[in-house]
């Protein structure tokens, strides 16, 4: 069961410049940064708020690190802007299977590693009214 909007992914050409815009304009703070080699991006997660299920909502700023990455190809075609929306779920495997049974194409056979140790999969935008949709199960909280 989807529990929240986990994040909205925004593709950009210059991560530092885009981070500076969101920090100076809205007062957001950078919560986490990383390079995801598998997906070919550098990213910054800007925390917006906490949520009732113990998670949070973020803006995820994505800059490609290589030309063959999905984000680089998307930027070349569409320019900077909203790339995807991600919904949080306690069980990405079960929710991916559920939507697959309803005829929605799930892009990964098995969930992959996402930001901050999460597990993710994507749903085909043509099956989601033109919106690339991500399902995210956050990494367990460290005790």
């Amino acid at each position: 069961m989807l529990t929240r909007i986990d994040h909205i992914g925004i593709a950009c050409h210059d991560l530092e410049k885009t981070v500076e815009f969101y920090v100076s304009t809205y007062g957001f703070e950078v919560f986490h940064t990383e390079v995801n080699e598998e997906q070919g991006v550098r990213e910054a997660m800007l925390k917006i708020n906490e949520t009732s299920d113990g998670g949070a909502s973020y803006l995820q700023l994505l800059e490609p690190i290589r030309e063959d990455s999905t984000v680089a190809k998307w930027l070349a075609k569409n320019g900077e802007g909203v790339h995807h929306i991600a919904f949080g779920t306690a069980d990405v495997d079960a929710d991916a299977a559920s939507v697959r049974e309803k005829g929605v194409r799930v892009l990964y056979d098995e969930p992959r590693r996402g930001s901050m140790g999460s597990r993710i999969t994507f749903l085909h935008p043509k099956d989601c009214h033109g919106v690339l949709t991500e399902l995210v199960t956050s990494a367990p909280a460290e005790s």
Side-chain angles (χ1 to χ4, degrees):
M1 173 164 135
L2 305 180
T3 58
R4 63 190 152 78
I5 295 175
D6 184 85
H7 66 271
I8 298 172
I10 299 173
C12 63
H13 293 291
D14 183 329
L15 187 63
E16 285 79 19
K17 183 177 174 182
T18 307
V19 164
E20 177 55 32
F21 169 79
Y22 283 98
V23 168
S24 65
T25 304
Y26 303 116
F28 297 153
E29 294 183 19
V30 176
F31 180 77
H32 176 82
T33 60
E34 72 179 83
V35 173
N36 186 320
E37 293 288 344
E38 180 182 358
Q39 294 185 20
V41 295
R42 284 188 333 128
E43 65 178 84
M45 296 293 270
L46 285 62
K47 185 186 259 185
I48 307 304
N49 66 325
E50 302 290 335
T51 60
S52 62
D53 68 356
S57 293
Y58 303 91
L59 285 181
Q60 178 188 44
L61 307 178
L62 300 160
E63 175 190 52
I65 58 172
R66 55 179 200 266
E67 291 183 23
D68 69 338
S69 74
T70 302
V71 172
K73 293 173 187 176
W74 190 90
L75 272 169
K77 181 178 178 183
N78 301 292
E80 293 184 306
V82 175
H83 179 262
H84 67 274
I85 186 167
F87 294 109
T89 173
D91 189 343
V92 68
D93 297 276
D95 283 331
S98 176
V99 297
R100 183 180 279 123
E101 288 172 4
K102 294 173 183 165
V104 175
R105 286 174 281 180
V106 178
L107 299 183
Y108 303 152
D109 290 332
E110 296 291 326
R112 296 181 183 180
R113 183 195 170 282
S115 301
M116 301 182 290
S118 63
R119 296 184 69 240
I120 66 166
T121 196
F122 285 91
L123 310 179
H124 200 292
K126 289 184 179 177
D127 297 342
C128 299
H129 297 272
V131 178
L132 179 60
T133 303
E134 182 179 5
L135 303 179
V136 178
T137 296
S138 299
E142 295 181 20
S143 25

